[in-house]
Amino acid sequence: MKMKKRVSFIIATILIVSAVLAAGAVYFDKMAVMILSRSFDVDISYDRLWRVHFSEFLFDELKIHPRRERFGILAASADITPSFTKNFPRSIACEFLFKDIGITGIEDKLEKYDTLDGLMRLPFSGQWFYPDVKAKVEFFIDRAVVESFTAATDDIRVSFAGEAYYNKKVRGEIKISFAGDILKQIPDELSNIVMSDEGDGWRGISVKLDGDYSAPSVQLSSKLFKLTIRNIGSK
């Protein structure tokens, strides 16, 4: 799976699954999760769904696997808090907290951090677990509008804001930041050209995504240059 396909597809998968889980939580119905997951061609399983408070729901031991892809997503739990919006009933808002989330089926552990492709793939490999993944999303009938999406380890931060459409389109901006031991292994020439200083020992890359999940157009910007990669397929 190439860099831009992996980045956009994993983000989009999490958001679509979030929509399915939100529906399951609102209706408090395992059947709703099963029916909706089938419509999006994703297998979703969990040990238990329970109501924490009146408007807060928890899925334990969540497992996600897109049927046409080799990767999967595991989470110890997914906490969901739905709320009504000014657009209701056309939309519903949700806040999410995924605990101990990791990616399976992608085992490419990078030993070098000297290419842009490698840096973009790094946060989405199977070598990392994220203690907390948080998101604020408003779900419409055709898309998920992401106010914020954040995931972090001690040395990696990932954030996304934008829109993911259920017809496999994505539009938004993703930021990937590094610090600590990982940042020390990135060559200065790469770090200085494509990354921006974010303070407190962090440097980051901002990438705009637009198009189909499998091969979106990518625009990478820094203080020194702007690079646009059009949709030329996923190969």
Side-chain angles (χ1 to χ4, degrees):
M1 187 183 292
K2 297 298 184 180
M3 172 268 289
K4 60 180 181 175
K5 178 179 179 181
R6 178 183 299 185
V7 171
S8 60
F9 203 97
I10 290 177
I11 290 289
T13 296
I14 292 175
L15 292 175
I16 286 176
V17 168
S18 297
V20 173
L21 296 180
V26 168
Y27 294 105
F28 204 67
D29 188 355
K30 189 171 184 176
M31 185 63 69
V33 173
M34 184 181 70
I35 292 173
L36 287 170
S37 64
R38 285 181 177 177
S39 68
F40 289 116
D41 210 20
V42 177
D43 288 324
I44 301 174
S45 63
Y46 53 89
D47 285 355
R48 184 171 65 146
L49 165 60
W50 53 293
R51 189 190 298 267
V52 181
H53 300 295
F54 176 74
S55 61
E56 183 179 358
F57 304 86
L58 188 68
F59 292 82
D60 283 332
E61 299 299 330
L62 181 66
K63 300 178 180 65
I64 303 160
H65 184 253
R67 293 173 184 168
R68 300 179 186 274
E69 300 295 332
R70 62 188 178 94
F71 74 88
I73 299 170
L74 304 177
S77 64
D79 188 290
I80 301 173
T81 306
S83 61
F84 295 116
T85 70
K86 63 181 180 180
N87 296 313
F88 185 82
R90 294 189 300 113
S91 72
I92 187 168
C94 284
E95 293 190 19
F96 296 88
L97 174 59
F98 295 90
K99 301 290 290 186
D100 296 327
I101 193 169
I103 299 169
T104 63
I106 300 177
E107 305 299 335
D108 50 339
K109 184 174 181 179
L110 297 179
E111 302 296 338
K112 295 183 178 180
Y113 308 105
D114 56 359
T115 67
L116 177 60
D117 179 79
L119 290 181
M120 292 298 296
R121 286 190 292 117
L122 181 60
F124 304 97
S125 70
Q127 66 193 96
W128 309 110
F129 266 86
Y130 294 91
D132 297 302
V133 176
K134 301 177 181 179
K136 293 183 179 180
V137 187
E138 184 172 359
F139 296 103
F140 292 82
I141 193 170
D142 62 337
R143 68 194 187 280
V145 179
V146 184
E147 177 184 337
S148 64
F149 174 95
T150 58
T153 69
D154 290 341
D155 295 335
I156 298 176
R157 294 192 304 220
V158 180
S159 64
F160 175 81
E163 298 180 335
Y165 290 79
Y166 307 143
N167 64 354
K168 297 187 177 181
K169 301 291 183 181
V170 64
R171 180 184 298 116
E173 184 170 3
I174 185 169
K175 178 178 283 188
I176 300 174
S177 307
F178 302 100
D181 291 338
I182 292 179
L183 186 58
K184 292 176 183 178
Q185 296 179 67
I186 300 173
D188 289 342
E189 56 270 23
L190 182 61
S191 174
N192 293 335
I193 292 175
V194 305
M195 305 179 76
S196 300
D197 187 0
E198 298 177 351
D200 297 324
W202 288 86
R203 294 185 69 82
I205 307 168
S206 292
V207 177
K208 292 183 178 179
L209 303 171
D210 189 4
D212 188 270
Y213 296 171
S214 62
S217 297
V218 172
Q219 185 179 91
L220 172 66
S221 299
S222 73
K223 292 182 179 180
L224 298 180
F225 78 103
K226 178 184 289 186
L227 173 66
T228 299
I229 304 173
R230 300 297 180 188
N231 185 339
I232 57 175
S234 59
K235 294 183 179 181

